[in-house]
Amino acid sequence: MEKNPKEPEPGVLAQSSSLNVFHDESPLPQRTSKQCLPAENVPPSCLEKIFYVLSLIAIALLLPWSLLCCLRVLNEFQRGVVLRLGRLRPKPPCGPGVIFLVPCIDQLRIVDIRTSSFSLERQEILTRDMVTISIDGVVYFSIKSPYDAIMQVADAQDAVEKLSMTTLRNVAGTHKLMDLLASKEYLSSQIEAILYTTTEAWGVRVERVEIKEIFMPEQLKRALAVEQEAMREAKAKVAAAQGERDAVTALKEAADIMETNPIALQLRYLQTLNTICNEQTRSYVFPFPVDIVKRMMK
């Protein structure tokens, strides 16, 4: 019996199917069922249409008093997200200005898009070199997508605040104490980058993170002060010793020059006399060459 060349053998078929299961990198087909579509793309049901029509009839019967419940005013810095019977309406965020709401079936959620800030509570952190310190700071953020801020997270500010505190502890714990004291800006930029990447899916933009102060125990402050003072004293002694060495070297060079030319020594003697003589001085000290004294004693 001849085999059909288009039909592979059973062993080969099983092997190829297993490879397709574990190594197939082709994109998955698009889902077309209504359950996987976003809520704003699903058409309203018959019950929703009935409630909508009844609400419009009630508005028409109760005019003009019903307008007090239908019209809302949003400020320039506010945006509104409307939920109709618990479902997101397929339209951009409302506002600013006057918006129309259908009573009983529309629910308005107002979002402030201005830049807000909150203070990070003082966090006790164990640094990389096993030193316990406390750090506090300030985070500035704003809402860039009102839809995501309402639909993706329950409370955007509370979520960003807790994430900021956790990120501060995690990032600061990977650095040494002297690195934290020397580079607060670098620590702030690291925290800001992590928060910006994480909160983007929530519709929140973290604009700036500032570290206000790093608190250390009093014993650690005294120890660092003593250490820095000892380092400064050592540097001062080294600088004084280098100055004396340079001075001795310069005097030696000057002495060698004067030894080769006696007139230079005499000129230096006269220059010294001119320097010490002034109008306010009542007594003068004349340096007397030692070799002349020796000659007089002989």
Side-chain angles (χ1 to χ4, degrees):
M1 183 177 180
E2 295 182 359
K3 296 183 179 180
N4 189 357
K6 296 183 180 180
E7 296 180 359
E9 298 180 359
V12 178
L13 179 60
Q15 183 178 3
S16 62
S17 62
S18 63
L19 292 176
N20 291 332
V21 170
F22 293 100
H23 301 283
D24 188 9
E25 298 180 356
S26 59
L28 295 176
Q30 299 293 333
R31 299 180 180 178
T32 57
S33 61
K34 294 184 178 180
Q35 296 180 355
C36 300
L37 293 176
E40 60 268 17
N41 294 333
V42 179
S45 62
C46 296
L47 187 60
E48 293 179 4
K49 294 179 180 179
I50 293 174
F51 278 111
Y52 180 72
V53 172
L54 293 177
S55 299
L56 293 180
I57 294 174
I59 293 174
L61 293 177
L62 298 177
L63 283 176
W65 298 278
S66 59
L67 294 179
L68 299 177
C69 301
C70 297
L71 299 181
R72 295 289 300 273
V73 178
L74 297 182
N75 296 323
E76 186 67 30
F77 52 84
Q78 292 178 335
R79 298 294 182 269
V81 178
V82 179
L83 301 176
R84 177 162 293 173
L85 293 176
R87 298 172 60 181
L88 186 64
R89 295 190 62 188
K91 59 180 298 185
C94 301
V98 181
I99 62 174
F100 180 82
L101 298 177
V102 180
C104 302
I105 63 174
D106 284 351
Q107 180 183 3
L108 178 64
R109 301 289 297 274
I110 299 177
V111 178
D112 194 335
I113 61 174
R114 294 178 295 180
T115 299
S116 304
S117 64
F118 59 87
S119 298
L120 291 175
E121 298 179 359
R122 187 180 300 182
Q123 303 292 314
E124 291 188 359
I125 299 170
L126 184 64
T127 61
R128 186 177 178 182
D129 49 354
M130 307 303 292
V131 178
T132 303
I133 59 175
S134 299
I135 302 178
D136 60 356
V138 182
V139 177
Y140 299 88
F141 72 98
S142 61
I143 303 297
K144 69 173 183 178
S145 176
Y147 273 174
D148 293 334
I150 295 297
M151 304 301 297
Q152 301 297 332
V153 62
D155 190 346
Q157 181 171 352
D158 184 66
V160 174
E161 184 175 355
K162 292 181 179 179
L163 180 63
S164 301
M165 292 188 292
T166 305
T167 306
L168 175 61
R169 289 194 296 267
N170 295 337
V171 174
T174 59
H175 295 278
K176 295 183 179 180
L177 175 61
M178 299 308 298
D179 297 337
L180 295 177
L181 295 176
S183 59
K184 293 182 181 178
E185 293 79 7
Y186 179 69
L187 177 62
S188 301
S189 62
Q190 278 190 314
I191 298 174
E192 180 180 349
I194 296 175
L195 293 179
Y196 184 88
T197 305
T198 307
T199 59
E200 186 177 5
W202 300 343
V204 179
R205 178 188 290 110
V206 176
E207 299 178 355
R208 192 175 184 85
V209 177
E210 289 291 341
I211 300 300
K212 293 195 297 185
E213 191 62 36
I214 298 178
F215 301 92
M216 297 179 294
E218 294 296 332
Q219 297 180 354
L220 181 59
K221 290 182 179 180
R222 289 195 294 267
L224 292 177
V226 171
E227 181 181 359
Q228 294 297 325
E229 184 178 357
M231 293 176 61
R232 288 193 294 268
E233 290 181 356
K235 291 180 179 179
K237 291 181 180 179
V238 171
Q242 291 179 354
E244 292 181 358
R245 183 188 62 184
D246 296 340
V248 170
T249 302
L251 291 174
K252 181 179 180 299
E253 294 178 356
D256 295 338
I257 295 174
M258 293 179 181
E259 184 180 4
T260 57
N261 191 356
I263 299 177
L265 180 60
Q266 187 67 20
L267 292 175
R268 180 61 181 166
Y269 175 72
L270 295 176
Q271 185 180 4
T272 304
L273 290 178
N274 187 25
T275 303
I276 65 177
C277 293
N278 53 50
E279 297 179 356
Q280 298 179 358
T281 305
R282 297 182 179 180
S283 60
Y284 303 96
V285 178
F286 294 94
F288 203 74
V290 181
D291 53 350
I292 298 178
V293 177
K294 290 182 180 179
R295 293 176 184 177
M296 294 176 60
M297 293 179 63
K298 291 180 179 179

